[in-house]
Amino acid sequence: QNPRLVAMSLPALALLGLEVPAADPAAAEAEAALFFSGNRVLAGAEPAAHCYCGHQFGSFAGQLGDGAAMYLGEVLGPRGERWEIQLKGAGITPFSRQADGRKVLRSSIREFLCSEAMFHLGIPTTRAGTCVTSDSKVVRDIFYDGNPKNERCTVVLRIASTFIRFGSFEIFKPPDEYTGRKGPSVNRNDIRIQMLDYVIGTFYPEIQEAYSDNTIQRNAAFFKEITKRTARLVAEWQCVGFCHGVLNTDNMSIVGLTIDYGPFGFMDRYDPEHVCNGSDNTGRYAYNKQPEICKWNLGKLAEALVPELPLEISQLILEEEYDAEFERHYLQKMRKKLGLIQLELEEDSKLVSELLETMHLTAGDFTNIFYLLSSFSVDIDPSKFENFLDELTSQCASVEELKVVFKPQMDPRQLSMMLMLAQSNPQLFALIGTKANINKELERIEQFSKLQQLTADDVLSRNKRHWKEWLEKYRVRLQKEIESVGNADAWNAERVKVMNSNNPKYILRNYIAQNAIEAAENGDFSEVRNVLKLLEHPFQEAEGLQEVREDAEEEGASATAAVCSQDTRSRQPYCSKPPLWASELCVT
């Protein structure tokens, strides 16, 4: 009812050959709201929902499918590229099960903004063309705590070369030995052959051409390529601190895209065990587990391709290719983030791990510390070095922030009972808790206790000591770069340029999305649009950023709204360390 446009991404819509005429933008917005709410079907569209299965949190869930996404068809873009388009949240599909097929404003804004943010960060992703909300309402219990509320039905136009997933090939799975569930197309190898022919012929044409006379070799080459693409994708995630949150096999793209933005999150304070999904009680999809989980998911894809690709071939490919490709791409990207552009030394891996360890020890902001490092130079004078150190440590958590982070979450009596239960009745304990959760709580208690004894000066001097130690190692490594070049000034200019195009100043932090969501829920879509502009230029040196500032001024909006939007609760620019309340946000 009464659909209206929240925001549109002009670069994404341009893929489909769509643009907003300058003469009548209001009419274009109304038309977008009409068609991309699903209220009017595009000419030539054949709405359908995709059937797939999946391993969810490690267990085979059987048939799933698009329960809230409606495939409209394929668009031939102006450059001759083919794009599948989907409406997510447009209502019931054959795979909605007991749900209503709807999405709400908060989740849709998050998916819309993050799809475009990832693209502009240079990370393979599905795209989002529009976000359209309405007066139609559905009831949602956001935190699954018995406090439901009415929320606005909202639809996102998603765009990708294909939405086929690893789980698409799991529809052939025979009864699972653990869950007993099976796919809906057991023994239909004819469909598996059809799907492989389609996927490889359409999205991997060079492989189809090279192995047209040998199906096994063709399928092996395809599996090798998706293994390497997935490894590179996860390496990219790790290098910007992105956590997907729900890395089930049905959320893994068959062409190596980031797909299905749910309870994702970009890390603020660096924590290798960061879990962005409030529903992930065991931490299965924690930040540091993403590489191994994606490898596990590729193993499930390998199983799903049998007999068209024998398991002994695919498993060998997985073992030989995945880890090596991940490490290679990760280190290559990290070298760029650190400005190591001349030499590739074995010691670089250690330098990176020591940087991350220093970030962890000082609770440093992942994005902002990387961003600041381009200001560091080998011959920095002592007074400027102290200023740099002050700036760096200002991006580390304060005592107050650490107390919020390590605040114990269990009632002491509950913890005592759980500890006793773990000893006396492990079977019952396994139903209501995990050892990892208990250990995490004990660690929180220990850290919280230590923090009570520390002053702000104690933390600051400790942090400065840690950073001085690492910066000296970094200085020595940069010196080796200088010694290998003829022109140190030209090298330094190139180093800074490379760093500034690999270390974003702006990412979609949860609290930035939350500000935009709260404004939109109150009928003000301007913040969503401002944040979108911001995320289209995540690097300070990005070409065209000045134009965004000038356009914003011309339109009567303040320049800072488009480039460094203000947080209404804390009045902080979006390029600064997040406010204290941000650490308490929970996304399920």
Side-chain angles (χ1 to χ4, degrees):
Q1 295 170 359
N2 189 24
R4 53 200 177 278
L5 187 75
V6 176
M8 66 169 83
S9 166
L10 297 181
L13 290 174
L15 299 172
L16 309 178
L18 294 173
E19 54 188 46
V20 176
D24 199 353
E29 286 201 8
E31 193 174 36
L34 183 66
F35 281 98
F36 298 139
S37 61
N39 276 11
R40 185 173 294 175
V41 180
L42 290 162
E46 294 182 13
H50 177 40
C51 177
Y52 51 80
C53 293
H55 279 79
Q56 300 191 316
F57 290 88
S59 298
F60 186 63
Q63 180 177 298
L64 301 166
D66 283 333
M70 192 66 79
Y71 168 83
L72 296 183
E74 203 173 40
V75 173
L76 193 62
R79 294 181 186 173
E81 297 163 320
R82 302 167 81 91
W83 299 103
E84 282 186 15
I85 59 173
Q86 268 190 358
L87 294 181
K88 185 169 179 178
I92 288 175
T93 79
F95 306 110
S96 296
R97 289 168 286 174
Q98 283 76 46
D100 52 30
R102 297 293 186 186
K103 294 294 174 184
V104 296
L105 193 55
R106 59 190 160 80
S107 61
S108 300
I109 286 173
R110 282 171 54 84
E111 170 142 21
F112 172 77
L113 289 175
C114 200
S115 301
E116 293 306 282
M118 293 291 269
F119 170 76
H120 292 288
L121 285 168
I123 299 172
T125 179
T126 57
R127 303 292 299 277
T130 58
C131 179
V132 176
T133 195
S134 69
D135 288 342
S136 297
K137 302 283 179 67
V138 284
V139 176
R140 291 289 185 268
D141 185 349
I142 303 174
F143 301 113
Y144 310 115
D145 60 0
N147 292 298
K149 69 169 191 173
N150 278 314
E151 298 193 65
R152 292 184 183 279
C153 294
T154 308
V155 178
V156 173
L157 171 69
R158 299 205 301 183
I159 304 164
S161 56
T162 182
F163 288 92
I164 293 177
R165 305 123 190 282
F166 290 9
S168 305
F169 285 89
E170 292 188 292
I171 61 172
F172 313 108
K173 184 173 170 57
D176 184 74
E177 61 177 310
Y178 300 107
T179 65
R181 299 187 185 104
K182 62 179 181 178
S185 304
V186 181
N187 298 325
R188 289 298 306 273
N189 196 47
D190 57 317
I191 304 178
R192 179 168 20 224
I193 292 168
Q194 238 184 319
M195 283 174 62
L196 277 166
D197 288 348
Y198 171 70
V199 166
I200 298 170
T202 310
F203 308 111
Y204 299 87
E206 65 291 342
I207 291 175
Q208 180 66 45
E209 203 175 321
Y211 301 99
S212 57
D213 57 347
N214 190 316
T215 307
I216 296 288
Q217 284 185 359
R218 181 201 69 167
N219 295 346
F222 153 67
F223 185 74
K224 179 178 177 179
E225 179 60 23
I226 187 55
T227 294
K228 293 173 84 164
R229 284 192 194 185
T230 303
R232 291 194 295 269
L233 177 69
V234 189
E236 292 281 347
W237 292 350
Q238 301 304 99
C239 288
V240 292
F242 174 78
C243 299
H244 184 283
V246 201
L247 284 173
N248 299 330
T249 56
D250 53 294
N251 293 337
M252 300 286 297
S253 161
I254 205 70
V255 290
L257 306 174
T258 314
I259 190 171
D260 285 351
Y261 293 93
F264 66 84
F266 285 87
M267 267 194 306
D268 295 325
R269 174 183 58 85
Y270 177 71
D271 173 9
E273 296 179 354
H274 175 68
V275 177
C276 63
N277 178 0
S279 314
D280 184 3
N281 299 321
T282 62
R284 176 180 173 85
Y285 298 140
Y287 168 78
N288 62 351
K289 290 183 181 171
Q290 291 187 136
E292 65 183 91
I293 285 294
C294 287
K295 185 179 182 182
W296 188 90
N297 288 342
L298 280 160
K300 292 301 165 191
L301 174 62
E303 291 173 15
L305 298 180
V306 176
E308 293 310 299
L309 180 61
L311 208 51
E312 57 269 23
I313 296 176
S314 54
Q315 285 180 335
L316 188 63
I317 291 169
L318 190 54
E319 287 310 314
E320 285 181 349
E321 302 291 342
Y322 182 85
D323 294 331
E325 187 71 8
F326 173 81
E327 292 297 339
R328 185 195 64 78
H329 195 80
Y330 177 78
L331 192 53
Q332 184 184 60
K333 186 77 176 176
M334 279 295 185
R335 283 193 179 108
K336 289 177 182 174
K337 288 174 78 70
L338 291 176
L340 308 178
I341 58 173
Q342 197 65 28
L343 305 171
E344 293 186 0
L345 304 179
E346 271 189 41
E347 68 200 48
D348 294 346
S349 182
K350 189 170 183 239
L351 184 71
V352 170
S353 58
E354 286 174 341
L355 166 61
L356 296 177
E357 179 60 22
T358 305
M359 266 193 216
H360 192 206
L361 288 169
T362 60
D365 187 275
F366 184 83
T367 301
N368 290 357
I369 282 175
F370 269 115
Y371 183 76
L372 279 173
L373 287 176
S374 63
S375 310
F376 180 75
S377 62
V378 172
D379 52 1
I380 191 167
D381 67 56
S383 64
K384 282 188 177 174
F385 178 74
E386 284 305 315
N387 291 340
F388 178 76
L389 206 54
D390 286 340
E391 214 174 339
L392 208 57
T393 50
S394 74
Q395 296 304 322
C396 300
S398 65
V399 175
E400 290 73 28
E401 288 168 312
L402 290 171
K403 282 178 180 174
V404 171
V405 170
F406 291 109
K407 183 181 176 184
Q409 294 176 4
M410 283 187 191
D411 182 286
R413 290 167 299 181
Q414 183 193 2
L415 179 61
S416 177
M417 184 200 76
M418 295 287 274
L419 287 168
M420 286 193 295
L421 200 59
Q423 295 293 321
S424 63
N425 194 335
Q427 287 82 9
L428 181 57
F429 171 74
L431 295 174
I432 57 174
T434 66
K435 284 185 180 175
N437 284 355
I438 296 297
N439 290 338
K440 195 109 179 160
E441 183 65 9
L442 292 170
E443 185 191 335
R444 269 194 290 265
I445 291 168
E446 185 185 350
Q447 294 286 355
F448 192 74
S449 175
K450 284 180 183 174
L451 286 168
Q452 305 308 313
Q453 321 300 321
L454 289 176
T455 65
D457 287 342
D458 292 334
V459 171
L460 185 62
S461 64
R462 182 192 71 184
N463 289 350
K464 282 191 172 181
R465 187 180 75 250
H466 286 310
W467 280 111
K468 270 182 182 173
E469 287 172 9
W470 184 81
L471 285 168
E472 178 53 30
K473 293 171 186 172
Y474 184 41
R475 191 193 64 75
V476 169
R477 176 63 181 85
L478 289 177
Q479 187 64 47
K480 290 178 183 175
E481 292 271 302
I482 292 173
E483 289 164 5
S484 72
V485 297
N487 186 332
D489 289 340
W491 164 82
N492 192 54
E494 182 62 20
R495 174 184 79 94
V496 171
K497 184 181 173 185
V498 168
M499 291 179 80
N500 284 343
S501 59
N502 282 276
N503 293 317
K505 186 171 186 177
Y506 304 104
I507 53 168
L508 184 61
R509 298 179 189 263
N510 272 344
Y511 88 95
I512 296 176
Q514 189 61 26
N515 280 339
I517 289 163
E518 288 179 8
E521 286 179 333
N522 290 319
D524 176 8
F525 304 147
S526 64
E527 186 67 357
V528 177
R529 297 177 186 195
N530 285 336
V531 171
L532 178 63
K533 279 184 182 176
L534 183 84
L535 297 171
E536 285 175 350
H537 303 277
F539 307 103
Q540 188 187 35
E541 301 301 317
E543 193 180 333
L545 185 59
Q546 193 60 39
E547 291 169 31
V548 171
R549 286 178 177 153
E550 287 163 4
D551 289 350
E553 284 178 322
E554 285 167 18
E555 288 164 14
S558 89
T560 50
V563 180
C564 225
S565 304
Q566 300 296 317
D567 165 18
T568 52
R569 282 184 268 201
S570 66
R571 309 307 298 171
Q572 285 180 302
Y574 282 162
C575 49
S576 67
K577 196 174 69 169
L580 196 56
W581 60 266
S583 63
E584 297 184 359
L585 285 173
C586 175
V587 185
T588 59

